[in-house]
Structures are given as C-alpha cells and as structure tokens.
Amino acid sequence: MLIVFFSVVSILMNTLIGISVDSSCSHLLSLINSSYEYSAMTDRTLGQDDYLRFDAGIYFSLAADSKTSLNADIVMQSNESLYTDSVYWNAEKLEQNEIAISYSISQKNNKAVGDKLYSKHIANGAIQEYMISQVLPDVASTRLDGSGNYNEGIIIMGYDQDYAKNFSYENVVYTNKHISELVAINPRNVLYREDEILSLLKRVSPYLVVHFLLSILLCVGLVLSLTNNVKINLKRQMMLGFEKKKLDHAFSRYIGVSSFCSVLLSLISSLIWMRILSLDGIMYAFYGIKAIAEILVILIIIKIMNRRFWR
C-alpha cells in the first residue's frame, strides 16, 4: 500500500509539472535545434530565412462561420527567400492557399495535413479556405521578445501578393550574419537565440527545482514509512544477538527493493502518461535524472538509518 500510495502521488506530481512546462520545453527544444544566431525586424528581405509580419490583423479559425479565432503567431513566407534548416521550424515553400501549422495547434484542434483552416482575407473581405500542407515541430512563437504574449503555436502562410501590395509589414529575419552587414535593411528589435534560451530556462527552472525537491522529500517519507514498519522487530533482533551482516542485508533489501519499485513504477507510468498526452521530450531526460537522484537519496538514507539503529 505504501508503494502504491507514494507512486500515485509521484505520478500526479510528474504529470502536473509536465503539463505546466510543456509549452516552454517544446520551444526550448526548437531553439536548441536551430542554428541561427539572432532574429531581427527589418525593412526588406534578406533573401534567406525571413518572413513577413503584417500590421493588419490576420486571424484563422476552424470553420468558415466561426466567431472565434486560433491563438496563433501568424507570419507569411517571402517570395524572395530560401528557407534552410537553420530555423528548426522552417516550412518548405508554400503555395498561396497553403499553410503550415505547428504541432501544438495540430494536436489541440485535431487537424492534420490535408485539413482546412479559414481566414477572412483582409484585402477583399472574403472568407478564404487554406489547406494545411505541413505540420511543423512544436513551437510556441516565432520570437520570444519578453512581451508576455503566449500563443498556442505558429501558422505560416504561403506568399500572397494581395497582402504584400496592399498592407504594410515588417520582415522577420533569422540569420548568422554580423549585424553590420544588415545596416542597409535597417535591423531593429534584435533578439539573440541564446537570450531566448536563457529566458526559457529562467521560466521553467523554478518549477523544476521545486518539483525536484518535493520528489526527494517524498522519497525520504517513503523510506521513513517503510523503516517504521520494521524498526521494532529489527531492534529486537539486534538485542537478541542476530548477526550484524545478515540484519543489515535484510534491512537494506527490504527498504531498497520496496523504494526502488516505487521509483521505477512512478518513472515508467509517468513516461507512458507523457506519451499519451504528447508532452515534450525534454521532460523525459528530467524524469530520468530525477529517478537517479531519488535512488541515490534512498541509498544514503538506508545507510544513515542502519547506523542509527546499531548505535
């Protein structure tokens, strides 16, 4: 019962922390897998890995007559740009009536390649149908500029000449070029990828640290509870003169096996549950490190408790 109780509590804690930091971890993974140095807003295209961001509002919805729109960061491909793998979530070249959506939008709205999204074309006022041609890696936003705005993901539109000719826009550039080489296109709001990574780490670190400490305390509580079940018999056998080596082995085996079973049960169940919920892969590594730390703490406490009994 103790193993089951502590395992269930641990699984619930793992699930809650996974859901809490999933979006940030997904975006962190996207930044780590990218190789550009910084992004910036410019007046003109650089010819590689840049997008158009319009001042006029562009919105997408699940149905043509829907009154609600998706909470997405929307950009448009440039007809003059090439798109490389230096930006992890880059889409292949899209047609005018095609869009690419990030994985989170796909999952939350049950949309896949070949499905449709709808948007009111602000140039002619007609409801435009767009086909989803690509599902991109999970990414929360095109840029984390510290504004505090949170999106479900991104939507990339194919180049639309009517938008480009009739509405003002800025170019969002992702590059490794030295900033001095961009003077001609007036770079501004420069945002370095490393700064975005540090910002995300600062955001998720408090959650992970608190969760880590609570998990360690939970392990301590499990070991103390298991020890309490046998300490009277253990002390009685010590006073009766049973061999120290055999008693130490029996005590360590009972506490260790029970505790390790709880840790492994919690770890395996949490990983399966994460898989079902499609949570981010970075948390797999965190749970693995946490499980190792829990096992080490259990071994240390077993050693300490054993010495206390003999004293």
Side-chain angles (χ1 to χ4, degrees):
M1 291 300 295
L2 280 172
I3 293 173
V4 172
F5 173 76
F6 281 95
S7 297
V8 169
V9 173
S10 182
I11 291 167
L12 290 174
M13 287 171 52
N14 287 345
T15 303
L16 287 174
I17 191 66
I19 293 173
S20 299
V21 303
D22 179 54
S23 179
S24 296
C25 287
S26 297
H27 198 88
L28 181 62
L29 184 64
S30 173
L31 289 169
I32 291 172
N33 285 323
S34 298
S35 58
Y36 67 90
E37 184 179 357
Y38 63 90
S39 61
M41 311 302 292
T42 64
D43 292 333
R44 300 198 309 273
T45 178
L46 191 63
Q48 179 175 301
D49 297 325
D50 50 15
Y51 293 90
L52 314 183
R53 185 186 295 279
F54 288 88
D55 296 331
I58 303 176
Y59 303 98
F60 280 86
S61 57
L62 300 177
D65 57 350
S66 176
K67 300 299 183 183
T68 58
S69 59
L70 298 176
N71 180 24
D73 190 0
I74 301 168
V75 292
M76 180 182 291
Q77 287 185 338
S78 170
N79 66 330
E80 303 174 22
S81 286
L82 298 174
Y83 295 96
T84 69
D85 58 2
S86 65
V87 181
Y88 183 58
W89 46 265
N90 263 347
E92 297 177 5
K93 206 70 173 180
L94 300 165
E95 298 296 330
Q96 181 175 325
N97 64 336
E98 291 181 335
I99 57 174
I101 64 175
S102 60
Y103 180 77
S104 54
I105 294 179
S106 170
Q107 287 294 106
K108 290 178 182 178
N109 300 286
N110 196 26
K111 292 293 182 180
V113 172
D115 291 339
K116 305 289 194 304
L117 289 181
Y118 301 86
S119 177
K120 184 176 181 180
H121 200 294
I122 55 178
N124 55 35
I127 300 298
Q128 184 82 28
E129 182 181 84
Y130 292 86
M131 185 182 75
I132 300 172
S133 65
Q134 299 170 53
V135 174
L136 308 173
D138 201 358
V139 56
S141 180
T142 54
R143 286 172 24 113
L144 292 179
D145 55 6
S147 62
N149 296 324
Y150 297 95
N151 301 297
E152 291 183 358
I154 66 172
I155 297 177
I156 300 177
M157 303 171 63
Y159 180 75
D160 189 326
Q161 190 174 2
D162 289 338
Y163 274 103
K165 283 187 174 181
N166 293 291
F167 299 97
S168 60
Y169 60 85
E170 291 181 301
N171 287 275
V172 187
V173 176
Y174 300 85
T175 182
N176 287 312
K177 292 187 176 182
H178 194 274
I179 194 69
S180 62
E181 299 181 49
L182 274 63
V183 172
I185 57 176
N186 187 25
R188 54 195 176 276
N189 296 332
V190 176
L191 184 60
Y192 285 87
R193 185 169 59 92
E194 290 183 356
D195 291 338
E196 290 187 81
I197 291 174
L198 289 175
S199 175
L200 282 171
L201 289 175
K202 289 179 181 178
R203 183 184 300 178
V204 302
S205 293
Y207 293 94
L208 299 182
V209 169
V210 170
H211 176 72
F212 188 88
L213 294 176
L214 288 176
S215 297
I216 297 300
L217 289 176
L218 192 65
C219 278
V220 173
L222 174 59
V223 173
L224 294 179
S225 298
L226 291 169
T227 301
N228 192 57
N229 288 341
V230 298
K231 68 178 182 180
I232 294 177
N233 284 332
L234 182 64
K235 288 181 178 179
R236 181 172 58 84
Q237 291 173 347
M238 287 177 177
M239 289 186 289
L240 289 174
F242 280 80
E243 186 180 343
K244 181 179 185 303
K245 186 175 181 181
K246 289 183 178 181
L247 286 179
D248 289 348
H249 178 72
F251 175 75
S252 299
R253 183 176 59 186
Y254 168 72
I255 303 297
V257 171
S258 301
S259 301
F260 296 161
C261 284
S262 179
V263 171
L264 292 176
L265 179 61
S266 170
L267 175 63
I268 294 171
S269 300
S270 297
L271 294 180
I272 293 173
W273 190 234
M274 280 184 61
R275 187 70 176 176
I276 294 173
L277 294 176
S278 300
L279 298 181
D280 187 74
I282 287 180
M283 293 304 294
Y284 287 80
F286 173 74
Y287 290 152
I289 294 171
K290 183 171 71 71
I292 294 172
E294 288 172 341
I295 290 173
L296 291 175
V297 168
I298 289 168
L299 293 173
I300 292 171
I301 297 176
I302 289 174
K303 194 73 174 176
I304 292 172
M305 294 303 297
N306 189 267
R307 286 181 177 178
R308 285 188 61 189
F309 284 136
W310 283 107
R311 226 179 16 249

